[in-house]
Amino acid sequence: MELRPFDTLNESKGKGIIIELKSGKQLIGKLKSFDQHVNMVIEDSEEKVNNETTRKLGTVFIRGDTIIFISTA
Amino acid sequence: MELRPFDTLNESKGKGIIIELKSGKQLIGKLKSFDQHVNMVIEDSEEKVNNETTRKLGTVFIRGDTIIFISTA
Amino acid sequence: MELRPFDTLNESKGKGIIIELKSGKQLIGKLKSFDQHVNMVIEDSEEKVNNETTRKLGTVFIRGDTIIFISTA
Amino acid sequence: MELRPFDTLNESKGKGIIIELKSGKQLIGKLKSFDQHVNMVIEDSEEKVNNETTRKLGTVFIRGDTIIFISTA
Amino acid sequence: MELRPFDTLNESKGKGIIIELKSGKQLIGKLKSFDQHVNMVIEDSEEKVNNETTRKLGTVFIRGDTIIFISTA
Amino acid sequence: MELRPFDTLNESKGKGIIIELKSGKQLIGKLKSFDQHVNMVIEDSEEKVNNETTRKLGTVFIRGDTIIFISTA
Amino acid sequence: MELRPFDTLNESKGKGIIIELKSGKQLIGKLKSFDQHVNMVIEDSEEKVNNETTRKLGTVFIRGDTIIFISTA
């Protein structure tokens, strides 16, 4: 069976990820869940701007259409 | 059964949430309901800009496509 | 039966609402009807910018995708 | 039967309307037809910017997704 | 049978049209074909900016979602 | 049978085309293939800004929703 | 059988690609997988701005709607 992008995302569940937002900010946290629209829930999260932590955010639901890319922390 | 992002959002019903809008503003309130487009209704809500309350808004219907992320208050 | 965001909007029919537009302007009026795209018709409406009434508009059809949120007047 | 936003728009057929565009301009004309995407055809139309007529345009087909709202002239 | 916006566009086939683009530019040419997304092909076309012809373009395929409105030349 | 916009695009296969992007840049190359979303592959391509070649790009896959229009080179 | 844009993208699997983002940045890496929305996973990736490497990113999931074009590295 062919590997799909969501398979790779699935391997990051429970691990730290960095979410690059269209707004220019980043969200850092542990990936809890996602769906086919790339809506995501992360835990123990922080907002970062230019590599500086600007806010502690706890559990966050992110709308998929605001995301540019996701990398492993 | 696998956990989905909307399951986590469902746990916030009746609780305080912070909605980060694409406009750069925030809406704070108690989550009453949401649907699969992330349209939401919050109650006893306030608009905030740079952490300052700018307006008391009561019950607010928010269109999902204007939301970046939702965190617990 | 579970409450949905559109149920709350339905309770505002015939009442005064404030529509916050992506353009930065507001429309104030009495909610006549809406559909599942959040297209709306309001009556006896006014356009406001920074809390100042800029135009009297009568009956207005608003395209849903230009709306950020709707609150009760 | 419940009234829908498009029912109100239908009552404006053959009458003068003002179309507020996302571009900041307005189109004024007589509503000839529209469809469920809010695509519209208006006749005897003019483009206005800041209440000044900038162009006479005759019959115009407007793509619905460029419209903020429509009011009666 | 009720008249629809695309019926009016159909009457412009083979005739000169002016296409107002979201980019602020205009395309002028003879309408060859269009589809339900308002994708269009025009012939003998020119690009105009502020009423000045900036380029001769020959046959052009235009993506519908970049169009604000279409008027008869 | 009625001519459609994609029929005209089909006639450009194997020929030089100019793709005008929403970003303000242009891509020049030989059209290899396209689909109904106007996703395209061009070969022997170059990026141009203000008529100056800024990069040689070889084979390029272009996402349709970033395209304003396509003309023959 | 007719060649489609995704066929060409498929030939780049396991090879180096350059992804041009709407944000003005570039992502460079080895293409691991993609889907019909042009969502992609690349490995051993780097972010570049104006041809300068700004970050090493490892494995990255990119949302398709943030991509302008993809070229071979």
Side-chain angles (χ1 to χ4, degrees):
Chain A
M1 213 186 66
E2 203 186 354
L3 187 78
R4 306 286 288 176
F6 285 111
D7 297 329
T8 299
L9 209 52
N10 207 41
E11 290 167 15
S12 292
K13 273 193 185 164
K15 295 178 189 159
I17 59 167
I18 303 169
I19 299 172
E20 195 77 22
L21 296 174
K22 290 182 184 169
S23 68
K25 298 179 179 177
Q26 296 176 311
L27 293 175
I28 318 285
K30 200 173 68 174
L31 179 59
K32 190 171 177 183
S33 64
F34 64 89
D35 64 22
Q36 81 276 15
H37 303 294
V38 202
N39 293 325
M40 301 194 135
V41 170
I42 57 173
E43 298 175 302
D44 306 324
S45 63
E46 295 177 22
E47 183 192 69
K48 286 201 171 194
V49 181
N50 297 326
N51 262 334
E52 301 286 319
T53 299
T54 45
R55 277 194 288 175
K56 302 276 184 186
L57 287 163
T59 298
V60 177
F61 177 102
I62 303 135
R63 226 177 163 269
D65 81 324
T66 66
I67 294 173
I68 301 179
F69 65 77
I70 300 140
S71 63
T72 47
Chain B
M1 212 186 67
E2 202 185 354
L3 188 77
R4 307 285 288 175
F6 285 112
D7 297 329
T8 300
L9 209 52
N10 207 41
E11 291 167 16
S12 292
K13 273 192 185 164
K15 295 178 189 159
I17 59 167
I18 303 169
I19 300 172
E20 196 77 22
L21 296 174
K22 290 182 183 168
S23 67
K25 297 179 178 176
Q26 296 177 311
L27 293 175
I28 318 284
K30 199 173 70 176
L31 179 59
K32 189 170 177 184
S33 64
F34 64 89
D35 65 22
Q36 81 277 15
H37 303 293
V38 202
N39 294 325
M40 301 194 135
V41 169
I42 57 173
E43 297 176 303
D44 305 324
S45 63
E46 295 178 21
E47 183 191 71
K48 285 200 171 195
V49 180
N50 297 325
N51 262 334
E52 302 286 320
T53 298
T54 45
R55 278 194 286 175
K56 301 276 185 186
L57 287 163
T59 298
V60 177
F61 176 103
I62 303 134
R63 228 179 161 266
D65 81 324
T66 66
I67 294 173
I68 301 179
F69 64 77
I70 300 140
S71 63
T72 47
Chain C
M1 213 186 66
E2 202 186 355
L3 188 77
R4 307 285 289 174
F6 285 112
D7 297 329
T8 300
L9 209 52
N10 207 41
E11 291 167 16
S12 292
K13 273 191 185 164
K15 294 178 190 158
I17 58 167
I18 302 169
I19 300 172
E20 196 77 21
L21 297 174
K22 290 183 183 167
S23 68
K25 297 179 180 177
Q26 296 177 311
L27 293 175
I28 318 284
K30 198 173 69 176
L31 179 58
K32 189 170 178 184
S33 65
F34 64 89
D35 64 22
Q36 81 276 15
H37 304 294
V38 201
N39 294 325
M40 300 194 135
V41 170
I42 56 173
E43 297 176 302
D44 305 325
S45 64
E46 295 178 22
E47 182 191 70
K48 285 201 172 195
V49 180
N50 297 326
N51 263 333
E52 301 286 319
T53 298
T54 45
R55 277 194 287 174
K56 301 276 185 185
L57 287 163
T59 299
V60 176
F61 176 104
I62 302 136
R63 227 177 162 268
D65 80 325
T66 66
I67 294 173
I68 301 179
F69 64 77
I70 300 139
S71 63
T72 47
Chain D
M1 213 185 65
E2 203 186 356
L3 188 78
R4 306 285 288 174
F6 285 113
D7 296 329
T8 300
L9 209 51
N10 206 42
E11 291 167 15
S12 292
K13 273 192 185 164
K15 295 179 190 159
I17 58 166
I18 302 169
I19 301 172
E20 196 77 21
L21 297 173
K22 291 183 183 167
S23 68
K25 297 180 180 176
Q26 295 176 311
L27 293 175
I28 318 284
K30 199 174 68 176
L31 179 59
K32 190 170 177 183
S33 64
F34 64 89
D35 64 21
Q36 81 276 15
H37 304 294
V38 201
N39 294 325
M40 300 194 136
V41 169
I42 55 172
E43 298 176 302
D44 304 325
S45 63
E46 296 178 21
E47 182 192 70
K48 285 201 171 194
V49 181
N50 296 327
N51 262 334
E52 300 287 319
T53 298
T54 45
R55 277 194 288 175
K56 302 275 184 184
L57 287 164
T59 299
V60 176
F61 176 103
I62 303 135
R63 230 179 159 267
D65 81 324
T66 66
I67 294 172
I68 302 179
F69 64 78
I70 300 140
S71 63
T72 47
Chain E
M1 214 185 66
E2 203 186 354
L3 187 79
R4 306 285 288 175
F6 285 113
D7 296 328
T8 300
L9 210 50
N10 206 41
E11 291 166 15
S12 292
K13 272 193 185 164
K15 295 179 189 159
I17 58 166
I18 302 169
I19 300 172
E20 196 77 21
L21 297 173
K22 290 182 184 168
S23 67
K25 297 179 180 177
Q26 295 177 312
L27 293 175
I28 318 284
K30 199 174 68 175
L31 179 58
K32 191 172 176 181
S33 64
F34 64 89
D35 65 21
Q36 81 276 16
H37 303 294
V38 202
N39 294 325
M40 299 194 137
V41 170
I42 55 172
E43 297 176 301
D44 305 325
S45 63
E46 295 178 22
E47 182 191 71
K48 285 200 171 195
V49 181
N50 296 327
N51 262 334
E52 300 286 318
T53 299
T54 45
R55 276 194 288 175
K56 301 276 183 184
L57 287 164
T59 299
V60 176
F61 176 104
I62 303 135
R63 230 179 160 266
D65 80 324
T66 66
I67 295 173
I68 301 179
F69 65 77
I70 300 141
S71 63
T72 46
Chain F
M1 213 184 67
E2 203 185 354
L3 188 78
R4 306 285 288 176
F6 285 113
D7 297 328
T8 300
L9 209 52
N10 207 40
E11 290 166 17
S12 292
K13 272 192 184 163
K15 295 178 190 159
I17 58 166
I18 302 169
I19 300 171
E20 196 78 22
L21 297 174
K22 290 182 184 168
S23 68
K25 297 179 180 177
Q26 296 176 312
L27 293 175
I28 319 284
K30 200 173 68 176
L31 179 59
K32 191 171 176 182
S33 64
F34 64 89
D35 64 21
Q36 81 277 14
H37 303 294
V38 202
N39 294 324
M40 300 194 137
V41 170
I42 57 172
E43 298 176 302
D44 305 325
S45 64
E46 295 178 23
E47 182 191 71
K48 285 201 171 193
V49 181
N50 296 327
N51 263 333
E52 301 286 318
T53 299
T54 45
R55 276 193 289 174
K56 302 275 185 185
L57 287 164
T59 299
V60 176
F61 176 104
I62 303 134
R63 228 177 160 268
D65 81 324
T66 67
I67 294 173
I68 301 179
F69 64 77
I70 300 140
S71 62
T72 48
Chain G
M1 213 186 66
E2 203 186 355
L3 187 77
R4 306 285 289 175
F6 285 112
D7 297 328
T8 300
L9 209 52
N10 207 41
E11 290 166 17
S12 291
K13 272 193 184 163
K15 295 179 189 158
I17 58 167
I18 302 169
I19 300 171
E20 196 77 21
L21 297 174
K22 289 182 184 169
S23 68
K25 297 179 179 177
Q26 296 177 310
L27 293 175
I28 318 284
K30 200 173 67 176
L31 179 58
K32 191 171 176 182
S33 63
F34 64 88
D35 64 22
Q36 81 276 15
H37 304 294
V38 202
N39 293 324
M40 301 194 135
V41 170
I42 56 173
E43 298 175 303
D44 306 324
S45 63
E46 296 178 22
E47 182 191 71
K48 286 201 170 194
V49 181
N50 297 326
N51 263 333
E52 302 286 319
T53 300
T54 45
R55 277 193 288 175
K56 302 275 184 187
L57 287 164
T59 299
V60 176
F61 176 103
I62 303 135
R63 225 174 163 271
D65 80 325
T66 66
I67 294 173
I68 301 179
F69 65 78
I70 300 140
S71 62
T72 48

